Amino acid sequence: MLRFKVVEEASNRKAVPVALPSERPEEYYGKYVFNRNKMFEYLPRDTYEALINAIDNKEPLSREVADSVAEGMKRWAIDNGARHYTHWFQPLTETTAEKHDAFIEHDGKGGVVETFSGKLLVQQEPDASSFPNGGIRNTFEARGYSAWDISSPAFIMDNTLCIPTIFISYTGESLDYKTPLLRALTAVDKAGTAVARYFDPKVKHVISNLGWEQEYFLVDEALYNARPDLAMTGRTLMGHESAKNQQLEDHYFGAIPSRVEAFMLDLEIECHKLGIPAKTRHNEVAPNQFELAPIFEETNLANDHNMLLMSVMGEVARRHNFRVLLHEKPFAGINGSGKHNNWSLGTDTGVLLFAPGKTPKDNLQFITFVANVMAAVHRHNALLKASIMSATNGHRLGANEAPPAIISIFTGSHLAEILEKIEKSDKDELIAMAGKEELHLGVSQIPEILMDSTDRNRTSPFAFTGNRFEFRAVGSSANCGSAMIALNAAMAEQLAEFKEKVDVRLEKGEDLHHALLAEIKALLQKSSAIHFDGNGYSDEWKEEAARRGLDCETNVPRIFDAYLRPETIEMFGKTGVMTPVELAARNEVKWEMYTKKIQIEARVLGDLAINHIVPVATRYLSILLDNMVKIRTLFPGNKGIELSAQDSATVEKIMHHTATIREEVDKMVDARKAANRIENEREKAIAYSETVAPCLDRVRYHIDKLELMVDNEMWPLPKYRELLFIR
Ligand code: ADP
Ligand code: MG
């Protein structure tokens, strides 16, 4: 039987040996990246200087410089085995896109030369009409532009020079994640710098940092291929819980199986060659679940690196006969996967703005930025939830192992105490506080206290962790850009407003420290509802959060509505991050994607139920019936009925489950048909979530019951206990 064959194949598999480079990581790190060293080596001196200046000061590049960069980049790429180049971008599909072109051009003598021009480097027109665009691009304007993002270095993957680019429509609207992300980073730089200058006038830029922690599952490829649901939807649509899963808590930080360790080593080497600073690896809570985290980087670069990692992972996994599952909830009953986004702001002078410092002034700066984070997250808590939401992440949130579906901030008791003190102080107390050298907050001791005691509240979706905030609700398959756009833009709006208010006070002649403390106090008072250090999984919190006016919506398509609220439109408008047209279009894409994902799941499950499971159950049923007939023939009368009673009970149950599966699949098909007739994308997505998605659970319930009854030898699909334990 196929199932036993693939299980055997998977369990006999040995670790694939990894060819360790002879050099140390220091030597091969960034080998395939056109970083500053390579630029220096391959570009003429004046080109190099012009390019570095453009990158550092966000200035445009002239055509001549672009041509010269293209020439040097091409030489470097060819020296490193590249034959093609591509504009690498991040459309709204949550993967990356690329179209490869060879460097060759006719040489006029019947041969070819390998060339690459500034024009091709800077801008291209991919025929992009089949990327999601939410109606922005009408068919007569099917063109989209990709344009070089000089702030993220080009790299070589699979013998192709990849140039990170933004992707916009003919009319200038963003069709990707990178464009609004760059705009949000510019906005937070501008607003953040203005505030940071209260403390240090030398600050020129504020930089947003991101350190993501990527969780994932590995499954042996033979088993994966034998599960059409995994292969087509990324998750198991059926499967009874394994008797043993994560209840012994023996996987987390346990020994990594040798096959997996080989994969991780190989992956890290690839990452390092691509300049992804992969640093930490460990087992996660669920069996077969793992995590990789890099050293944090500037947000745009970190995000490119995460997108790159997700594709590299897939490739490396295949070399090791694994498949990577990035789905947020591939298996029912055990933990799902997220991607914690560790986020901070820092200055070009090297100060981390969410980190307590050594002096009272540093600490006032720290409190200033923290209070603004609380205000921004409070104001846009619904939007932040929308920014991480998707059909797949919807399974994870609100479950009892993942961030709750309500955004709140965990500060830890020490920070809470300090914030509360400011919040409760009256005017005189604030003046006294501002005048005192120690700022009378106990703030001079903050660093020591916070650094080692930011107790980890794992139930919080947004937690302060000593020198950063950890946005934990992001899904494992997501483009972090979505969360980072919302968060940085909201922060930019908030900081700009804060600055305006403080300036009004300064104009009135108030002392700077007092003006800051007074405005911090106002922010804390206004946003205190967002602060919650308790158990985010509890039912009491859900009620309490609703009373506090936090967004408690749990229906995925409705959660997306937050993007179209007046305060969201205003915020994205003021910060120049997204226009109302862009927001509307992107929501169309979100709803459409939601519908399509559920639609695919419903089709796959319908097929599996009717063509795989029901026939097998029926075969087993007929064996039982045969048996009953034989028993009753041999033992006529009551004796036979008695002896076949157990079979008879099983027969009834199996008949009940198969009949119900048939009924539920029919209902699911009808629900789909009805939903498909709806034109409006939002309404259609809601119909899918309310009428189709629940059918998936009901069909599954009956299949999982059958799995426990039907002869193990007949069951067609690998079971959880087989999928989940790599030996
Ligand atoms: P955890 O204990 O939360 O699992 P990890 O060490 O796995 O922590 O990951 C923490 C992540 O946070 C790493 O990517 C790390 O580089 C990143 N990080 C640390 N400090 C900062 C900071 N100030 N800003 C952004 N990211 C940070
Ligand atoms: Mg973490």
Side-chain angles (χ1 to χ4, degrees):
M1 205 187 98
L2 179 71
R3 178 171 138 239
F4 290 135
K5 243 167 82 186
V6 298
V7 169
E8 194 188 339
E9 188 183 341
S11 42
N12 284 339
R13 208 123 38 199
K14 300 273 173 302
V16 174
V18 180
L20 265 188
S22 52
E23 308 113 316
R24 301 294 308 163
E26 274 175 17
E27 283 148 304
Y28 59 78
Y29 188 87
K31 180 170 178 208
Y32 293 128
V33 185
F34 195 59
N35 56 21
R36 290 186 185 210
N37 275 336
K38 316 288 172 32
M39 289 174 190
F40 189 76
E41 189 183 335
Y42 279 88
L43 300 180
R45 190 58 183 268
D46 48 347
T47 305
Y48 172 80
E49 270 160 19
L51 180 58
I52 296 297
N53 177 52
I55 294 171
D56 287 347
N57 301 313
K58 300 187 177 174
E59 278 172 21
L61 270 189
S62 74
R63 190 47 167 274
E64 292 75 52
V65 175
D67 274 331
S68 174
V69 174
E71 178 54 31
M73 205 187 263
K74 179 203 75 182
R75 274 199 304 119
W76 167 74
I78 289 176
D79 281 354
N80 284 280
R83 289 166 178 268
H84 294 79
Y85 61 89
T86 182
H87 274 196
W88 181 81
F89 56 97
Q90 302 168 19
L92 300 172
T93 53
E94 310 225 308
T95 52
T96 53
E98 47 203 79
K99 169 184 148 245
H100 298 187
D101 284 300
F103 286 115
I104 57 166
E105 290 295 341
H106 286 299
D107 68 354
K109 299 173 213 141
V112 291
V113 285
E114 289 191 297
T115 68
F116 188 50
S117 66
K119 183 164 161 274
L120 292 171
L121 168 64
V122 170
Q123 187 176 310
Q124 294 196 12
E125 272 184 50
D127 174 23
S129 45
S130 50
F131 289 106
N133 60 73
I136 279 185
R137 212 175 329 89
N138 298 326
T139 36
F140 62 91
E141 268 173 11
R143 275 176 297 177
Y145 287 118
S146 55
W148 181 26
D149 168 18
I150 60 170
S151 63
S152 181
F155 56 90
I156 296 171
M157 201 162 79
D158 297 334
N159 298 318
T160 300
L161 170 66
C162 300
I163 298 146
T165 55
I166 59 167
F167 182 46
I168 54 176
S169 75
Y170 179 68
T171 41
E173 283 94 5
S174 60
L175 297 172
D176 66 348
Y177 286 102
K178 192 186 258 287
T179 309
L181 178 60
L182 289 171
R183 292 180 192 148
L185 296 175
T186 303
V188 84
D189 176 4
K190 183 161 169 255
T193 302
V195 173
R197 278 189 185 149
Y198 286 136
F199 304 92
D200 178 3
K202 289 197 292 297
V203 171
K204 286 207 203 68
H205 287 291
V206 161
I207 299 122
S208 166
N209 301 309
L210 167 63
W212 39 263
E213 300 164 52
Q214 178 73 54
E215 292 180 337
Y216 59 95
F217 279 86
L218 286 176
V219 175
D220 183 90
E221 76 177 357
L223 296 165
Y224 174 93
N225 289 332
R227 290 284 310 217
D229 49 353
L230 265 188
M232 272 184 278
T233 72
R235 73 170 176 124
T236 53
L237 298 172
M238 59 179 74
H240 197 278
E241 263 187 56
S242 163
K244 172 181 188 295
N245 48 49
Q246 64 189 43
Q247 64 273 63
L248 300 180
E249 298 178 341
D250 51 356
H251 191 249
Y252 193 59
F253 282 8
I256 299 174
S258 58
R259 274 187 73 192
V260 177
E261 201 160 80
F263 157 77
M264 286 176 164
L265 178 63
D266 207 358
L267 176 60
E268 277 167 11
I269 295 169
E270 293 292 334
C271 281
H272 291 165
K273 286 182 183 165
L274 284 165
I276 304 171
K279 185 168 169 74
T280 307
R281 61 180 184 197
H282 59 76
N283 288 353
E284 266 300 329
V285 175
N288 277 14
Q289 193 187 25
F290 308 95
E291 179 185 296
L292 182 149
I295 303 171
F296 70 90
E297 299 175 288
E298 183 276 325
T299 297
N300 175 44
L301 184 62
N303 192 41
D304 280 0
H305 280 163
N306 181 246
M307 296 306 291
L308 192 51
L309 171 90
M310 290 195 284
S311 58
V312 174
M313 259 178 142
E315 279 186 31
V316 176
R318 280 167 190 246
R319 298 210 284 261
H320 294 261
N321 307 109
F322 283 129
R323 290 304 160 92
V324 174
L325 306 181
L326 292 175
H327 193 290
E328 284 75 3
K329 194 74 184 172
F331 303 99
I334 56 172
N335 280 11
S337 300
K339 179 151 55 195
H340 295 179
N341 276 205
N342 294 270
W343 169 73
S344 66
L345 296 178
T347 66
D348 59 336
T349 54
V351 175
L352 277 178
L353 294 163
F354 304 154
K358 292 216 161 44
T359 68
K361 194 171 113 188
D362 290 346
N363 285 331
L364 184 56
Q365 169 163 287
F366 158 66
I367 300 285
T368 299
F369 278 86
V370 166
N372 277 285
V373 173
M374 315 246 327
V377 173
H378 176 242
R379 203 155 150 190
H380 294 291
N381 71 88
L383 171 67
L384 286 168
K385 183 164 76 187
S387 78
I388 52 90
M389 194 43 75
S390 64
T392 52
N393 203 22
H395 290 286
R396 190 174 73 105
L397 291 193
N400 238 17
E401 31 99 356
I406 299 161
I407 302 292
S408 63
I409 297 185
F410 168 86
T411 62
S413 51
H414 290 290
L415 183 53
E417 221 171 89
I418 295 159
L419 298 178
E420 195 181 341
K421 194 160 174 184
I422 301 177
E423 197 185 323
K424 301 244 164 86
S425 293
D426 62 22
K427 196 166 175 226
D428 292 339
E429 285 167 324
L430 281 185
I431 291 174
M433 228 182 246
K436 289 264 170 59
E437 243 310 277
E438 302 81 26
L439 275 165
H440 236 258
L441 297 168
V443 279
S444 47
Q445 302 102 2
I446 295 179
E448 294 77 39
I449 301 171
L450 283 182
M451 283 311 203
D452 47 51
S453 70
T454 42
D455 36 345
R456 306 265 168 139
N457 181 332
R458 290 281 166 194
T459 71
S460 174
F462 201 97
F464 177 69
T465 49
N467 61 3
R468 62 191 188 269
F469 285 90
E470 198 169 321
F471 192 9
R472 299 187 180 133
V474 181
S476 49
S477 69
N479 184 317
C480 306
S482 180
M484 288 295 113
I485 291 164
L487 190 52
N488 286 289
M491 188 64 179
E493 174 199 47
Q494 176 54 44
L495 286 167
E497 239 170 62
F498 178 80
K499 165 92 171 39
E500 256 173 48
K501 291 192 172 151
V502 171
D503 284 353
V504 169
R505 287 176 181 271
L506 296 182
E507 272 158 34
K508 286 190 199 144
E510 269 184 42
D511 158 71
L512 173 64
H513 286 184
H514 175 255
L516 289 168
L517 280 168
E519 286 306 325
I520 290 169
K521 176 186 165 175
L523 285 186
L524 293 173
Q525 280 180 333
K526 215 165 68 180
S527 54
S528 63
I530 200 71
H531 176 213
F532 179 64
D533 281 4
N535 177 5
Y537 297 161
S538 67
D539 287 332
E540 299 86 78
W541 168 233
K542 284 180 199 147
E543 287 161 27
E544 165 73 12
R547 273 197 299 277
R548 292 188 187 185
L550 298 177
D551 187 86
C552 297
E553 181 62 63
T554 54
N555 174 274
V556 175
R558 286 196 177 88
I559 286 173
F560 296 146
D561 290 348
Y563 272 102
L564 301 177
R565 288 185 181 186
E567 66 267 31
T568 308
I569 293 177
E570 190 191 336
M571 182 276 284
F572 279 127
K574 273 197 292 200
T575 50
V577 172
M578 274 189 276
T579 64
V581 173
E582 288 175 306
L583 287 168
R586 295 165 91 92
N587 260 31
E588 292 291 298
V589 173
K590 285 179 199 294
W591 286 315
E592 211 182 311
M593 295 281 275
Y594 179 87
T595 297
K596 284 182 179 163
K597 291 241 164 113
I598 307 291
Q599 192 175 50
I600 293 169
E601 290 189 347
R603 286 181 181 159
V604 172
L605 185 62
D607 167 49
L608 286 176
I610 300 302
N611 302 321
H612 292 61
I613 305 302
V614 169
V616 166
T618 310
R619 240 188 292 149
Y620 182 57
L621 186 72
S622 108
I623 293 176
L624 291 178
L625 287 170
D626 272 353
N627 195 39
M628 280 171 66
V629 170
K630 284 176 190 157
I631 292 174
R632 288 180 188 187
T633 319
L634 280 175
F635 305 95
N638 276 346
K639 179 79 179 162
I641 293 176
E642 227 172 78
L643 287 174
S644 63
Q646 284 206 338
D647 280 347
S648 165
T650 312
V651 160
E652 270 180 44
K653 281 187 200 152
I654 293 180
M655 285 172 67
H656 163 70
H657 290 304
T658 49
T660 317
I661 289 172
R662 284 208 174 94
E663 263 167 46
E664 291 291 348
V665 170
D666 283 345
K667 280 192 213 156
M668 184 163 75
V669 172
D670 289 342
R672 231 158 65 209
K673 281 187 187 151
N676 289 345
R677 281 193 290 272
I678 302 171
E679 297 255 325
N680 178 292
E681 291 295 352
R682 176 178 180 276
E683 299 306 319
K684 191 193 285 190
I686 291 174
Y688 262 88
S689 74
E690 287 175 350
T691 64
V692 182
C695 296
L696 290 165
D697 295 337
R698 288 201 294 268
V699 174
R700 176 191 190 132
Y701 173 83
H702 293 283
I703 295 179
D704 291 355
K705 288 282 177 211
L706 284 177
E707 190 187 313
L708 292 182
M709 281 178 228
V710 172
D711 180 359
N712 182 51
E713 288 204 16
M714 298 175 81
W715 196 255
L717 305 184
K719 297 185 173 183
Y720 269 27
R721 62 166 188 264
E722 294 152 352
L723 287 167
L724 277 172
F725 296 93
I726 290 168
R727 275 153 286 257

